[in-house]
Amino acid sequence: MQPLFIDKSVRTIPVIRVETSNPSLDEKQRGAAVDAITKLGSATVQIDFDATLSERPFYRALITDLHRTIPHITITALASWCSDDRWMGGLPIEDAIPMLFQMGGDDHLVRARLGRGEDFPEPVCRASAGISLDETPPRLPSHRRIYVFNSRRWSARDWRAATEMANR
């Protein structure tokens, strides 16, 4: 929906957003999702799925199935998954990117923890961070890969703001 023109030398990673309206996810739906994602033909994918508690077994199975043919999987992660809700242990993923915006009730807890210089208890959440141009990001530990999200069409001004925000 927002065209992006990039040089062919730039490495791109497909990002797959999973949204559900039916909480009773089954093997047939998982198989269809795996087939669709596998057909992208990429050795690396990023999955973005705000799985509820009841959807986590489906999500775990989806990632496990994908990993059989896609060796490099990263996921976006709710900040709570990286803090005290440690359900991601053992997932065959390389990185879980904590989304540090629109955190809802966890916002003040996550900001306080990071503000004290602490890191996320979940080890897979310590390489990256997702921030948004719409919010002031929390203090981040150093040496993170930063993903900047923008709710609007990207402009030169937004790019400058994102670069400045990511370099802080």
Side-chain angles (χ1 to χ4, degrees), residues 62-128:
L62 173 71
I63 291 170
T64 301
D65 289 352
L66 284 172
H67 191 256
R68 290 185 183 111
T69 55
I70 300 175
H72 307 287
I73 300 173
T74 64
I75 67 170
T76 59
L78 300 178
S80 63
W81 297 355
C82 297
S83 296
D84 301 312
D85 180 3
R86 309 271 308 270
W87 75 273
M88 295 183 292
L91 282 176
I93 58 174
E94 295 181 354
D95 191 14
I97 304 140
M99 297 292 100
L100 302 176
F101 56 95
Q102 298 178 355
M103 293 185 279
D106 292 326
D107 187 271
H108 70 286
L109 297 172
V110 172
R111 288 178 184 276
R113 173 179 271 148
L114 294 173
R116 290 189 302 269
E118 297 175 24
D119 209 334
F120 290 108
E122 178 59 56
V124 75
C125 295
R126 296 181 187 159
S128 303

Side-chain angles (χ1 to χ4, degrees), residues 41-62:
S42 180
T44 304
V45 297
Q46 184 177 105
I47 309 293
D48 180 15
F49 182 21
D50 303 335
T52 63
L53 193 59
S54 66
E55 293 169 332
R56 290 180 189 175
F58 172 87
Y59 196 19
R60 180 175 286 280
L62 173 71

